Amino acid sequence: MHWPSFFFLLFGGFACLFAVAVVLASNIVRMAFYLVLSLAATSGLFFLAGADFVGAMQLMIYVGGTMVLLVFGVMLTSQSPFVSMRTSSGQMLTALVLGGTLLFVLSFTAFHVPAWQPTHRPAVDPNTPLLTATPIGMALEGYRVDQLDQPDPRIRQGMSGYLFPFIIISVHLLVVLVGAAYLARAKRRST
Amino acid sequence: MNFLLANLLSEPVGVAHYMVVGAVLFTCGIVCMATKRNALGVLMGVELVLNGANINLIAMGSPYLQGENATLGLDGQLMALFVIVLAAAEAAVLLAITLNFYNSAGSVDIDQADQLRG
Amino acid sequence: MDRDVANSLNFLLDKLTGLLGRSVPEDHVAGHLIAAFLYVGLLLHLVAVSALVFIWMERKIAGRIQDRLGPTRVGGKFGWLQTLADGLKLLTKEDLTPTGADLFLFRIAPYVGFCASLGAFIAIPFAGQDFPFVAQHLNVGVFFVLAVMGIEVFSVILAGYASASKWSLFGAMREAAQVVSYEVPLGLCVVVPVMLAGSMDLVHLGDKQQGWFTNWYLLHDPFTFVIFWVYFTCATASVNRAPFDLAEAESELVAGFHTEYSGLRWSFFFMAEYGSMLAVSLLGAILFLGGWHGPVPVASLLGLAWENGPVWGYLGNLLGMVNLLAKAVLLVTVMIWVRWTLPRLRIDQVLTTCLKYCTPIAAAMFLGAATWHMAMPDRVFAGLLQAPEANRLLAEPSATPRLQKGGNL
């Protein structure tokens, strides 16, 4: 048995199953619960693909942060407990047909690009542990440890890493924080 | 299509398999965005879409799945990181908008958000 | 590491089945499954048994603090088996579900919490050196533990929402606000040891503090000494222990998020709570208190190291595990002591503590520790001593060749 494949099937299956459950559920908190399971399974896929840091980040930010925020929002806005808004079956049918077509096209494409097919000589043996946090941290500080042997000197100059995007993201987060706090602030009714 | 479950257990998986999972998540997210009437449901659809994209980025960057020179390398992981962080920011803003909308309209049904209709 | 364990199990199986004229190849499914069940079983036992012990300890300590005796009858003079008797009583209780509840979410919520609490133990090492005692050696161990423990809040929220009770909902809302805010200073505190060691690998973090207690990150400089207490405060808050147990404030909310729970399901919430108390204490012990390297390096003084042979190495690891667990239990005891000493805070006081005190202090201490580390990179014990050669030369596993080689990471 090839263990990475087995775990891929396990996590991938869970991710897909609960993603479908999100679509089919009508109660918003149940949707959130299925979404959490789907996202957690996705982080399992990340761990499997050797991206430990991103997987842990996914668990921390998405599952621990964003989803809690979402459920918090649900609790603040629901009028009666367990409110569910139904979609008419005609709309649902149209969406499912369109979605099915999209899914077919996407999977068809995925299996017809030769570079994406399973390779029997991967770059790194799946049993080697990867070091994920250090290169990411250094790349965010503008130093690409994975591109040291880039032969083209012109490209090597452009390999200054992700310092600039990182700064932009930080400022963006700050702006969002202030903006969200301003928007959600309880307004005093002027009578 | 050489997509057979039988030899999936004994053969290594490739980027294509990850992409199918990504595609399923993406499609579910799109359908979710299109059909849900609850504003927070739409937000959950957006999260699913972003995750579908993330799976693709991670799979393309994974050295376990592709040959020596074909991988996206570290770029895939970094882009996925940025997506996750931006998704958190987007969720916060959308939540604030939803709360505001709820305060003015008394509901989170986005079909009722039609006050700007001419 | 567990591939080696699985293969040694397969080797054993091969020898055993060899008597029957069969053979088990390397990398066979059986060895992997046995190894997995072994690890999970051990961790499950650790969580469950520690919950039993901690509940007994809690009752005993609470009794002593309040000038009572605590449990005295079940299992002899000290009431050792009190928790077991409680558990048996809980098993036989009726399992109630409120009429208006969302049954599926109501039923599943305690298990979500317990799984999150247990999941954190996967990446926590119990001994280091060359062959660490750890279920899954992750190079982002610290981060993983924090992330998985962050999921636990979800169980409280689900329980509070699904109970269809005002008390539960209030408890859940408080919990959500509290835990999401406390993750910020907690993360800032944890970053300091990570920065000092230059790694998020828990095994590496522990081994960087090997030797005498002078090498502990707690005593590395004044800033880390302060930040340990900030970490401890935030950890107490993030596992909902008093004085931060707003989610289950008996005086205002009946029992908060678990008002509607009874029987075994209710006890799962408690297992999760005590499990995560142990997890944050273990994490604190590894990050700041030297992990499995004691105040006195008994193991290395006795020559219990892997280079002297596997038996000595194993004994050294066992000693390290006992050492780490002792430190963690000490921290848990302090948590219990704090619970029965301080009054519960109000929700606004809880958030003030987090946002106006813990976060700025943690940020300032982080800056201070970074500056100190830059000014005196090789000194320990408040800069008084030179860091031992062995600690300085300790490199993150698998780091050096890969970073030097470059190529695809």
Side-chain angles (χ1 to χ4, degrees):
Chain A
M1 185 183 273
H2 195 249
W3 286 104
S5 303
F6 170 76
F7 281 111
F8 167 78
L9 276 188
L10 188 75
F11 288 130
F14 271 128
C16 297
L17 188 75
F18 290 118
V20 173
V22 171
V23 176
L24 298 182
S26 56
N27 178 339
I28 187 84
V29 175
R30 280 203 189 182
M31 275 173 66
F33 179 63
Y34 294 138
L35 186 58
V36 163
L37 292 182
S38 180
L39 297 184
T42 311
S43 85
L45 283 181
F46 291 176
F47 278 106
L48 208 57
D52 292 8
F53 186 76
V54 184
M57 193 90 166
Q58 164 105 352
L59 276 182
M60 188 153 205
I61 295 189
Y62 254 124
V63 183
T66 311
M67 292 314 297
V68 170
L69 208 68
L70 244 171
V71 178
F72 205 54
V74 171
M75 289 181 190
L76 284 175
T77 52
S78 71
Q79 301 100 325
S80 60
F82 319 127
V83 69
S84 60
M85 296 181 193
R86 302 219 168 269
T87 326
S88 69
S89 48
Q91 286 175 339
M92 198 69 190
L93 197 68
T94 324
L96 283 182
V97 169
L98 282 175
T101 322
L102 181 65
L103 179 61
F104 176 74
V105 173
L106 288 176
S107 347
F108 188 80
T109 320
F111 276 101
H112 283 80
V113 175
W116 295 343
Q117 296 321 304
T119 165
H120 294 278
R121 263 184 359 93
V124 173
D125 177 61
N127 285 313
T128 350
L130 289 181
L131 190 72
T132 55
T134 316
I136 287 181
M138 293 180 95
L140 287 180
E141 284 174 11
Y143 183 69
R144 290 292 297 269
V145 281
D146 61 328
Q147 301 284 357
L148 292 177
D149 51 357
Q150 171 63 248
D152 191 341
R154 268 187 314 153
I155 300 182
R156 199 163 55 226
Q157 270 193 338
M159 287 296 169
S160 56
Y162 282 80
L163 181 61
F164 193 50
F166 184 58
I167 300 293
I168 293 181
I169 291 257
S170 328
V171 175
H172 178 258
L173 275 181
L174 182 68
V175 171
V176 162
L177 205 69
V178 175
Y182 174 73
L183 271 180
R185 192 178 51 148
K187 300 213 170 44
R188 231 176 257 119
R189 291 259 163 82
S190 53
T191 44
Chain B
M1 249 196 231
N2 49 359
F3 184 74
L4 282 173
L5 279 180
N7 65 8
L8 250 187
L9 277 179
S10 52
E11 295 283 306
V13 291
V15 178
H17 297 96
Y18 275 79
M19 284 189 155
V20 170
V21 177
V24 171
L25 256 65
F26 185 83
T27 316
C28 286
I30 295 275
V31 174
C32 197
M33 274 152 73
T35 56
K36 299 289 173 194
R37 284 169 52 201
N38 192 325
L40 296 163
V42 176
L43 177 60
M44 290 182 201
V46 176
E47 305 291 348
L48 271 181
V49 167
L50 292 174
N51 259 277
N54 262 356
I55 290 182
N56 286 6
L57 288 172
I58 293 288
M60 296 257 232
S62 170
Y64 293 157
L65 302 174
Q66 287 198 317
E68 194 65 63
N69 292 317
T71 68
L72 197 55
L74 202 57
D75 295 303
Q77 294 188 20
L78 280 160
M79 281 186 231
L81 270 185
F82 286 136
V83 169
I84 292 176
V85 173
L86 285 180
E90 163 252 318
V93 170
L94 215 145
L95 199 67
I97 294 175
T98 311
L99 283 184
N100 243 2
F101 174 57
Y102 177 75
N103 282 341
S104 61
S107 160
V108 283
D109 187 350
I110 44 172
D111 285 0
Q112 291 183 18
D114 53 1
Q115 286 153 352
L116 287 179
R117 180 183 284 172
Chain C
M1 252 344 109
D2 49 21
R3 190 153 180 268
D4 301 337
V5 175
N7 278 333
S8 11
L9 282 168
N10 270 332
F11 180 73
L12 271 180
L13 281 179
D14 191 38
K15 289 287 167 229
L16 279 176
T17 49
L19 301 173
L20 303 170
R22 291 172 181 227
S23 73
V24 177
E26 202 181 320
D27 264 338
H28 191 260
V29 182
H32 283 277
L33 283 181
I34 296 175
F37 277 110
L38 203 67
Y39 279 133
V40 174
L42 282 175
L43 290 180
L44 205 59
H45 271 89
L46 179 71
V47 174
V49 173
S50 71
L52 285 183
V53 175
F54 289 154
I55 292 174
W56 171 79
M57 255 168 61
E58 174 117 47
R59 300 182 65 158
K60 252 340 209 190
I61 294 175
R64 290 296 172 175
I65 287 177
Q66 295 168 346
D67 211 6
R68 297 183 284 119
L69 286 175
T72 48
R73 302 213 175 165
V74 192
K77 196 179 163 199
F78 298 106
W80 294 109
L81 298 177
Q82 182 66 44
T83 331
L84 210 61
D86 286 350
L88 283 177
K89 183 200 77 177
L90 283 173
L91 270 176
T92 56
K93 269 186 150 181
E94 190 186 352
D95 192 16
L96 290 170
T97 42
T99 330
D102 186 331
L103 275 187
F104 169 65
L105 292 182
F106 184 80
R107 290 211 176 114
I108 209 156
Y111 307 120
V112 173
F114 185 68
C115 289
S117 172
L118 183 65
F121 283 88
I122 290 175
I124 293 183
F126 292 91
Q129 312 289 11
D130 300 333
F131 297 96
F133 283 0
V134 54
Q136 182 64 49
H137 192 165
L138 285 176
N139 65 47
V140 288
V142 183
F143 202 29
F144 180 84
V145 172
L146 284 186
V148 172
M149 297 224 334
I151 301 176
E152 207 192 330
V153 55
F154 213 72
S155 87
V156 174
I157 292 177
L158 283 183
Y161 176 80
S163 300
S165 151
K166 289 273 187 298
W167 306 125
S168 307
L169 196 65
F170 271 125
M173 296 268 275
R174 288 176 173 191
E175 164 91 5
Q178 178 186 331
V179 171
V180 170
S181 347
Y182 270 95
E183 259 179 26
V184 178
L186 194 67
L188 271 173
C189 296
V190 163
V191 158
V192 173
V194 168
M195 175 188 68
L196 294 180
S199 166
M200 287 210 260
D201 187 342
L202 277 170
V203 177
H204 183 66
L205 264 163
D207 279 338
K208 267 277 191 185
Q209 306 169 57
Q210 66 194 359
W212 292 82
F213 66 93
T214 48
N215 297 336
W216 288 1
Y217 284 148
L218 172 71
L219 304 171
H220 184 271
D221 54 64
F223 302 106
T224 49
F225 187 78
V226 174
I227 214 157
F228 170 72
W229 299 106
V230 180
Y231 169 82
F232 194 70
T233 312
C234 296
T236 313
S238 72
V239 298
N240 281 314
R241 288 287 298 183
F244 302 102
D245 59 344
L246 271 293
E248 43 192 298
E250 297 93 353
S251 50
E252 310 146 36
L253 297 182
V254 188
F257 67 95
H258 56 67
T259 307
E260 307 292 341
Y261 281 85
S262 68
L264 198 62
R265 245 184 269 282
W266 177 81
S267 70
F268 264 93
F269 277 123
F270 268 75
M271 296 253 274
E273 180 180 327
Y274 284 96
S276 33
M277 269 167 75
L278 182 62
V280 289
S281 302
L282 282 170
L283 195 64
I286 295 173
L287 290 177
F288 292 98
L289 302 180
W292 38 92
H293 296 290
V296 180
V298 181
S300 60
L301 287 180
L302 292 177
L304 300 175
W306 286 98
E307 56 260 27
N308 299 339
V311 178
W312 297 117
Y314 193 81
L315 280 178
N317 269 11
L318 272 185
L319 202 65
M321 187 170 88
V322 172
N323 188 354
L324 177 64
L325 284 175
K327 284 171 189 163
V329 171
L330 186 74
L331 288 182
V332 171
T333 316
V334 176
M335 278 188 188
I336 294 174
W337 172 25
V338 166
R339 170 172 176 181
W340 294 100
T341 308
L342 296 178
R344 180 179 295 128
L345 300 174
R346 279 197 322 264
I347 182 71
D348 62 316
Q349 290 169 333
V350 167
L351 292 180
T352 308
T353 313
C354 172
L355 296 173
K356 289 192 186 159
Y357 296 101
C358 286
T359 312
I361 292 176
M365 292 302 126
F366 173 51
L367 262 182
T371 320
W372 187 287
H373 188 53
M374 231 161 66
M376 288 184 266
D378 290 329
R379 319 246 346 149
V380 290
F381 200 50
L384 296 176
L385 297 175
Q386 187 78 23
E389 193 76 13
N391 294 22
R392 267 187 286 147
L393 294 180
L394 199 66
E396 193 177 6
S398 83
T400 350
R402 197 156 272 288
L403 282 181
Q404 280 167 358
K405 188 183 139 265
N408 286 307
L409 278 159

